[in-house]
Amino acid sequence: MSNNEQICYNCNSGESQLFLEENGFNLVKCDGCGILYINNPPTGGEIEVATTTGIHDGEKQLDVNVRYRKSADRLYRKVLPKLFPDGFSDVNTWLDVGCGYGEFLETLQNYSRNSVELFGSEPNVIKQQAAQKMGMNVSYYDLDEHDTKYDVVSLLNVYSHLPNPFEFIKSLRNVVSPGGFLLIQTGDITSVTRESLIKPAGLPDHLSFATESALISMLDRVGFDIESVVKIPSIAFTLDQVAKEIVKLILPNKSSFLKYYFLPKKTQSQSMFVLARLR
Ligand SMILES: [Zn+2]
């Protein structure tokens, strides 16, 4: 397809194929590296406003001020021992960028038994204030101007919301201590097909979707060595969640993710946690 609006932020290719049209936006697959990105995104100003309000304009307005699922804690507790098998002995300070309502900080606080000094940065005002009310050390930092460094910087469920993830990851070098860690969690769409991409894809709240190789390449190019990659299925259900999903299938105006669960496993999207160390 002709694409004169956006080139790929990862490999700079201008060649791409239309993958999905949703809410007035075109999600394309890069011919060069295989990531998915919107090639007619909102303007920088529109994205900035949406980031602070949680309201995204498209053909339909998208309100993303929903609280995370409580199951996030269970997921984080499963993944943390795999990422940090020796615990947090060398970790004194931790900044969670785009911390939302502070779910991950809450897990870290309990998991580390308060041994780590935790900070959160969140541009969305509703989420930021909710986290502050829960006693979390959360505000909004402009990371380009920020002069503090942290032993670990995490970026969970943030990547897909960034206008240019490569530039953003590069800017995180400023806030990671020498030899410190950067932890990124996002979906890996390497084997995802048009059919198996979970819909709605949440455009334009989501601006792009990564592949494992693209993320690893970006981290390497900006000066991080990969320590470990932990992957888990994006769609996994406990028995009572299955029951709830079946109810959703019957109710009008409810969409269930259950149908994606029955697609071939190799085409299902995965959630990846990539831990990297500053060189
Ligand atoms: Zn590309």
Side-chain angles (χ1 to χ4, degrees):
M1 61 175 284
S2 72
N3 172 2
N4 48 23
E5 284 125 337
Q6 287 279 100
I7 61 164
C8 172
Y9 59 79
N10 175 44
C11 73
N12 295 326
S13 168
E15 302 298 317
S16 60
Q17 309 297 324
L18 183 61
F19 203 77
L20 172 77
E21 286 176 87
E22 183 185 288
N23 203 16
F25 296 94
N26 301 328
L27 189 71
V28 300
K29 190 176 183 79
C30 173
D31 285 350
C33 69
I35 66 160
L36 300 177
Y37 66 94
I38 294 181
N39 79 342
N40 60 338
T43 64
E46 285 166 343
I47 293 172
E48 212 178 309
V49 170
T51 305
T52 55
T53 60
I55 311 285
H56 298 260
D57 283 328
E59 284 169 355
K60 275 195 219 158
Q61 209 176 52
L62 202 63
D63 183 344
V64 296
N65 290 309
V66 277
R67 203 190 201 292
Y68 281 174
R69 293 167 302 165
K70 281 209 176 110
S71 58
D73 180 64
R74 197 170 52 221
L75 166 70
Y76 298 148
R77 282 175 181 275
K78 209 158 100 180
V79 171
L80 280 169
K82 293 179 182 165
L83 294 167
F84 296 92
D86 303 325
F88 294 156
S89 51
D90 295 333
V91 179
N92 295 311
T93 56
W94 190 311
L95 171 66
D96 189 32
V97 176
C99 66
Y101 291 99
E103 292 89 337
F104 189 46
L105 291 173
E106 210 175 350
T107 299
L108 287 171
Q109 195 171 26
N110 297 327
Y111 185 80
S112 73
R113 298 195 175 87
N114 294 313
S115 70
V116 179
E117 204 179 348
L118 300 166
F119 302 86
S121 175
E122 173 53 52
N124 179 298
V125 178
I126 294 171
K127 295 178 183 181
Q128 187 194 97
Q129 288 172 353
Q132 286 166 348
K133 268 191 196 148
M134 285 172 66
M136 312 247 175
N137 195 349
V138 171
S139 51
Y140 177 62
Y141 305 127
D142 178 348
L143 297 177
D144 287 328
E145 307 281 315
H146 199 59
D147 55 8
T148 308
K149 293 184 191 292
Y150 304 84
D151 297 331
V152 185
V153 173
S154 53
L155 201 66
L156 271 54
N157 200 5
V158 169
Y159 180 101
S160 283
H161 306 279
L162 299 167
N164 189 325
F166 177 72
E167 289 301 326
F168 193 83
I169 292 170
K170 197 158 107 186
S171 74
L172 292 177
R173 280 187 59 103
N174 294 336
V175 288
V176 178
S177 304
F181 294 103
L182 175 59
L183 172 62
I184 298 182
Q185 182 255 322
T186 190
D188 171 18
I189 55 88
T190 306
S191 311
V192 167
T193 61
R194 285 184 173 84
E195 188 192 16
S196 68
L197 180 72
I198 295 169
K199 290 171 276 296
L203 313 184
D205 177 31
H206 292 136
L207 296 161
S208 77
F209 299 95
T211 64
E212 181 183 351
S213 61
L215 180 54
I216 285 175
S217 159
M218 283 184 267
L219 283 163
D220 178 53
R221 279 180 280 150
V222 302
F224 287 92
D225 291 325
I226 305 302
E227 287 277 314
S228 57
V229 179
V230 174
K231 289 213 221 172
I232 47 159
S234 291
I235 302 199
F237 296 108
T238 59
L239 270 179
D240 54 317
Q241 283 169 334
V242 169
K244 279 181 195 159
E245 291 296 317
I246 290 171
V247 172
K248 282 190 199 166
L249 283 175
I250 305 162
L251 291 174
N253 305 322
K254 290 271 181 192
S255 59
S256 167
F257 295 130
L258 207 54
K259 62 182 172 193
Y260 299 104
Y261 184 72
F262 294 107
L263 291 172
K265 283 271 177 277
K266 66 176 188 326
T267 69
Q268 290 176 17
S269 77
Q270 303 206 75
S271 180
M272 58 178 163
F273 289 78
V274 178
L275 184 68
R277 191 165 210 156
L278 188 60
R279 237 174 253 143

